[in-house]
Amino acid sequence: MATALSSPTSRIGDPLSRVDGRLKTTGLANYAADFPVEGLTYGVVVSAAITKGRITAIDATAARAAPGVIEIVTHENRPDVVDKDKVWQDMVAPKGSPFRPLGDAEIRFAQQPVALVVADTFEAARHAATLVDIRYEAASHVTDLTEAEAGAYNPKGDGTYSPEKSRSDLANPLGNTKAHVEKVYQEAAHRVSGRYTLAPEHHNPMELFASTAIWKPDGSLFIHDKTQGAQNSATYLAGIFGLKPEQVHVVAPFMGGGFGVGLRPQYQLFLAAIAAKMIERPVKVVMTRQQMFSHQYRPNVIYDIAIAADQAGRLQAIRSDCVGATSRFETFAENIVDWCARGYRCDNIALDYRVAPVDTYTPGSMRAPGAATALNLFEIAMDELAYEVGIDPLELRLVNYTSKDEISGQPFTSKALDKAYAEGAERFGWSKRVHAPRAMTDGRELVGWGMATGVWETLFQAHAVRARLRPDGVLEVATASADIGTGTYTIMTQIASEEMGMPVDRIDAQLGDSTLPKAPVEGGSWGAASIGNALVLACTALKAKLLKAARKIDDSPLANAAIEQVEFVGGQIRVKNDPARAIDLTDLVTTEGGPIEVEETGSPKMLEAAKKARNTHQAVFVEVKVDEQLGQIRVTRVVTAVAAGRIINPKTARSQILGGVVMGIGMALHEETMMDHRLGRFMNHNLAEYHVPAHADIADIDVIFVDEPDHEVNPLGIKGLGEIGIVGTAAAVANAIFHATGVRVRDLPITSDRLL
Ligand code: MOS
């Protein structure tokens, strides 16, 4: 009965290559803008020429007369849609009043979309877009955070955001007054304080935002979108157009990079949908690279840090006071100030977080939002403290090691950061480091060794997963989440293969479709743990259902078998220790005459009831070489040791850490969206002038996964890896630069002009 297996099964822990790798490398994987659609038209966005003010007149006569032009959509002729803030708030919208493309004449930020030109061809639309004559009345703007800081407010206030509420403590977990912390600080043996800053960063995924909208004759809407949440895009559009959720179908099977910018629907989605409704033809809207700088960004911050230690380097006081940028219409807040208090033993901590409105689009989440900002700055201060105390930077971390969350007082489900420090330091050769700056050289280059700690939280979200054995013997496993490039299709395949004893080529993992079982946006490094555990529930339920069906077959060899007595191996259900008593799953489902399926939801409720803190850690060690004559900084070596629970796939896991580390190097040395505050515009809105690390910037990166068994964090012991690689990496680079040169830079990125 058994059929020969054409590919092996895979298990959790195997370095299975990406199951979608071949599709992607051969160009067969369709990204949002790649789908051929009959009768397609092309929309090109016209971006505002001013930063703030209003449109006083639009003359589209010349544009309308241009060849191929079908329609020009502006706030003047846009059909009405549902006009409530609530429906414009997507699943992850911050508090406030979301931006509505072409909603009115008001200009709120540079490059705001002000018109959509739709034509038969992309070229015709792009040409006509240059002919739309728009007149504006400009108002004064503020885009400089140092100027906006005076208007900063506590985002967790009572919702009125009155300036009087500013300067209040966001959290004072230990009951210390600011005055008490200040007093301890002043009396301590060693002190470091300063103002640290991070520049605005844009995500710069390779793939541009793109949406194609197709209205069906029955009034339903079909969308090809670039998004980290197909159901987020679908419910957003359903709300705006007053449709039932099931009347909007969004597909987004692949993403050419997200990093958080795809968490919220971007404006091309609405523009494609409204234009397609107006002209009753499919419309595709793709942003330009420049327009990729016209929406969400990682907010720049001003971070005032003061830390004090006793003679031995034990932390006595931490003051952590940060102001981040937000827009005028929404309050984007992220956890920044508390990360410093989660990492180290300290009794006196005062935290204060505020946001300051500037005239940009609303900033948003970008890889390890908050933590990457916080710890890539705070860990510079820790390095300064090591030099102030006169001990090795790694020693300072060990002296202050804590095995509980300092804010909640909860112990961790697991924390193998100690192992990560030890294994990372060993592999790097940290013991050979000479403590004094400028003491190590290689030819004419100064050599610096720096290190830092990274922390990210281990998150878990409710996901529904469907497992369906089809009559052709293929097992579909599906949820509406997304594979944002992290390898979710692959690990779903592995987990299903192990659970069901089926070969990988008979498993079809499905994601990125709003009609699949309910899932939130994919982000926060929660995908592997959340989907993985839900998938095990689904497989368990499916096995029970399959056995039930198998027992009912005439003369079933499994007639009286209980679930504990059987195993699922080699595409069969068979009695343990009696492999002759077996039924092939394909035969079983063929006999059934239709698919056998189950759907199960894994929710945070399935986690251990005990209140424990759940974090992922990395200890990152960096070598830089600095040529002072040329002002050139090179990161020549990185060793990072990551403690992230059970590793499902070491190949895709390593790839995530490599990506995070590369982005950390970018944050340290290159990435900065530079604003001309007179114009209120990002100047370097292209990949020639916004530098992300290229191959020449990246040398050796060595990734270690330390052993961290964790049976409490979730049943599979998975912690997630998408974000931890960036947290601390930029600080380690900055600290290595100090070690090489003796120059301390507290502003990221450390471009040559800041160093010399
Ligand atoms: Mo991530 S910034 O949660 O996509």
Side-chain angles (χ1 to χ4, degrees):
M1 270 170 78
T3 45
L5 301 179
S6 56
S7 80
T9 52
S10 179
R11 299 186 67 80
I12 292 176
D14 286 348
L16 181 67
S17 291
R18 283 168 193 269
V19 296
D20 50 338
R22 196 172 298 252
L23 282 180
K24 286 182 170 174
T25 50
T26 55
L28 292 173
N30 273 344
Y31 292 81
D34 296 343
F35 292 87
V37 173
E38 194 156 346
L40 186 62
T41 68
Y42 300 81
V44 165
V45 177
V46 179
S47 302
I50 63 167
T51 295
K52 193 173 182 177
R54 54 187 293 109
I55 298 169
T56 54
I58 299 178
D59 182 355
T61 318
R64 282 192 185 279
V69 171
I70 301 165
E71 183 58 273
I72 294 167
V73 193
T74 69
H75 74 279
E76 292 176 344
N77 66 346
R78 194 201 80 178
D80 284 344
V81 289
V82 179
D83 193 34
K84 286 196 192 90
D85 273 345
K86 223 177 93 190
V87 303
W88 288 86
Q89 276 172 331
D90 60 275
M91 278 181 192
V92 294
K95 280 190 268 190
S97 184
F99 172 65
R100 303 169 195 194
L102 311 184
D104 54 33
E106 198 183 334
I107 304 298
R108 296 165 177 83
F109 56 92
Q111 282 204 95
Q112 177 181 317
V114 288
L116 184 78
V117 176
V118 186
D120 283 327
T121 65
F122 170 67
E123 290 76 11
R126 190 168 60 167
H127 171 244
T130 67
L131 304 176
V132 182
D133 185 11
I134 303 180
R135 298 297 155 97
Y136 304 92
E137 188 180 282
S140 65
H141 61 262
V142 174
T143 50
D144 187 344
L145 186 60
T146 54
E147 207 180 309
E149 195 190 353
Y153 58 85
N154 177 348
K156 290 195 180 170
D158 62 5
T160 60
Y161 310 135
S162 66
E164 301 80 59
K165 299 224 178 287
S166 66
R167 279 280 166 204
S168 64
D169 284 353
L170 170 70
N172 200 351
L174 305 175
N176 302 316
T177 62
K178 253 188 178 166
H180 171 73
V181 174
E182 178 63 23
K183 184 167 175 288
V184 176
Y185 173 80
Q186 291 299 343
E187 290 168 358
H190 298 290
R191 292 187 294 275
V192 167
S193 71
R195 172 160 280 202
Y196 300 74
T197 69
L198 173 70
E201 292 186 319
H202 279 77
H203 305 64
N204 281 300
M206 271 199 289
E207 183 197 12
L208 303 167
F209 271 106
S211 301
T212 299
I214 305 160
W215 288 88
K216 298 283 172 69
D218 65 0
S220 69
L221 179 56
F222 182 86
I223 300 277
H224 293 290
D225 194 23
K226 174 196 169 99
T227 177
Q228 290 173 233
Q231 289 181 337
N232 192 22
S233 291
T235 52
Y236 172 78
L237 290 176
I240 293 165
F241 288 101
L243 300 171
K244 296 194 188 90
E246 60 272 20
Q247 286 178 291
V248 184
H249 184 182
V250 175
V251 295
F254 301 109
M255 269 200 112
F259 316 115
V261 75
L263 290 170
R264 300 189 67 187
Q266 303 296 357
Y267 58 73
Q268 90 293 339
L269 176 65
F270 171 73
L271 294 179
I274 193 91
K277 194 172 176 66
M278 285 172 78
I279 69 167
E280 299 180 339
R281 283 178 65 182
V283 176
K284 173 159 82 177
V285 180
V286 184
M287 285 191 195
T288 62
R289 180 55 65 181
Q290 284 77 12
Q291 287 165 347
M292 294 296 284
F293 291 79
S294 65
H295 43 76
Q296 193 177 323
Y297 62 97
R298 189 198 294 278
N300 43 317
V301 300
I302 295 166
Y303 191 8
D304 292 325
I305 298 169
I307 47 176
D310 67 11
Q311 294 290 355
R314 288 183 294 247
L315 284 166
Q316 302 299 298
I318 299 175
R319 271 186 16 229
S320 170
D321 182 351
C322 186
V323 175
T326 188
S327 71
R328 287 201 196 280
F329 47 95
E330 289 173 310
T331 298
F332 177 72
E334 49 189 7
N335 292 333
I336 292 178
V337 293
D338 58 345
W339 287 104
C340 62
R342 294 181 186 281
Y344 300 116
R345 184 75 267 282
C346 184
D347 284 331
N348 304 294
I349 301 170
L351 311 173
D352 183 36
Y353 173 61
R354 290 169 299 138
V355 292
V358 289
D359 292 300
T360 64
Y361 187 79
T362 312
S365 293
M366 180 169 167
R367 206 173 203 163
T373 300
L375 291 176
N376 282 315
L377 297 176
F378 186 81
E379 285 288 297
I380 297 175
M382 283 294 283
D383 198 67
E384 292 181 57
L385 185 65
Y387 279 88
E388 179 64 32
V389 174
I391 63 173
D392 180 87
L394 175 56
E395 183 62 24
L396 181 71
R397 270 76 174 184
L398 295 174
V399 163
N400 290 290
Y401 198 81
T402 180
S403 47
K404 66 175 172 58
D405 182 307
E406 293 290 310
I407 290 184
S408 64
Q410 295 170 341
F412 293 104
T413 57
S414 63
K415 181 178 175 181
L417 176 60
D418 48 356
K419 279 189 216 165
Y421 285 137
E423 290 179 35
E426 170 67 26
R427 182 82 61 88
F428 188 84
W430 188 258
S431 63
K432 296 189 207 69
R433 183 177 183 271
V434 181
H435 183 70
R438 303 186 69 88
M440 295 167 66
T441 55
D442 177 9
R444 72 173 200 192
E445 286 182 304
L446 294 165
V447 176
W449 288 2
M451 59 84 57
T453 310
V455 190
W456 181 244
E457 57 199 317
T458 302
L459 299 168
F460 197 98
Q461 301 279 350
H463 284 71
V465 173
R466 184 175 65 214
R468 172 193 279 162
L469 187 63
R470 295 198 313 235
D472 62 358
V474 169
L475 174 70
E476 286 176 11
V477 288
T479 180
S481 181
D483 186 333
I484 61 175
T486 49
T488 313
Y489 284 114
T490 307
I491 61 153
M492 285 172 74
T493 303
Q494 278 179 271
I495 294 169
S497 180
E498 170 164 328
E499 283 294 313
M500 300 302 298
M502 288 178 64
V504 296
D505 70 353
R506 270 174 53 193
I507 292 163
D508 179 12
Q510 300 181 353
L511 293 161
D513 184 320
S514 63
T515 61
L516 295 176
K518 192 168 167 33
V521 294
E522 160 60 1
S525 300
W526 60 58
S530 308
I531 298 169
N533 283 289
L535 178 53
V536 171
L537 293 181
C539 288
T540 304
L542 183 66
K543 284 191 277 195
K545 199 165 182 178
L546 291 171
L547 177 61
K548 203 172 162 198
R551 284 172 16 175
K552 279 194 276 186
I553 289 177
D554 291 343
D555 302 321
S556 174
L558 301 172
N560 299 311
I563 193 78
E564 309 76 41
Q565 294 169 312
V566 301
E567 57 189 357
F568 287 72
V569 181
Q572 295 182 323
I573 319 177
R574 67 186 192 198
V575 176
K576 290 176 189 166
N577 306 320
D578 190 1
R581 287 175 62 199
I583 289 185
D584 184 87
L585 292 178
T586 308
D587 294 340
L588 173 63
V589 76
T590 309
T591 311
E592 280 290 300
I596 300 176
E597 70 178 58
V598 296
E599 186 178 310
E600 291 289 323
T601 296
S603 86
K605 289 191 201 96
M606 74 193 286
L607 306 180
E608 288 286 311
K611 284 263 179 253
K612 291 206 173 170
R614 306 149 190 275
N615 282 345
T616 308
H617 296 90
Q618 78 165 348
V620 56
F621 299 83
V622 166
E623 176 184 87
V624 299
K625 292 188 178 172
V626 180
D627 184 324
E628 285 193 302
Q629 282 156 24
L630 294 176
Q632 188 185 56
I633 309 162
R634 294 184 301 133
V635 175
T636 46
R637 207 154 60 84
V638 178
V639 174
T640 185
V642 176
R646 187 174 182 194
I647 304 303
I648 312 175
N649 181 326
K651 201 175 200 175
T652 53
R654 175 172 176 272
S655 176
Q656 279 309 295
I657 300 302
L658 292 179
V661 166
V662 168
M663 224 162 180
I665 293 170
M667 184 185 249
L669 299 178
H670 313 290
E671 296 195 43
E672 173 175 20
T673 328
M674 302 176 89
M675 175 71 86
D676 180 333
H677 294 300
R678 290 166 309 163
L679 298 172
R681 295 173 76 89
F682 289 120
M683 296 182 285
N684 54 339
H685 59 331
N686 57 72
L687 289 178
E689 293 166 293
Y690 181 104
H691 288 203
V692 295
H695 282 288
D697 298 307
I698 301 301
D700 194 33
I701 302 173
D702 198 350
V703 180
I704 299 167
F705 291 110
V706 304
D707 190 35
E708 191 183 59
D710 189 333
H711 306 294
E712 292 182 287
V713 69
N714 52 63
L716 288 176
I718 298 170
K719 285 191 167 181
L721 287 157
E723 288 163 300
I724 185 63
I726 192 175
V727 187
T729 300
V733 174
N735 297 341
I737 290 170
F738 169 77
H739 184 233
T741 64
V743 179
R744 182 65 71 181
V745 183
R746 290 167 165 174
D747 306 292
L748 297 179
I750 305 174
T751 45
S752 303
D753 55 308
R754 281 178 172 149
L755 184 61
L756 302 176

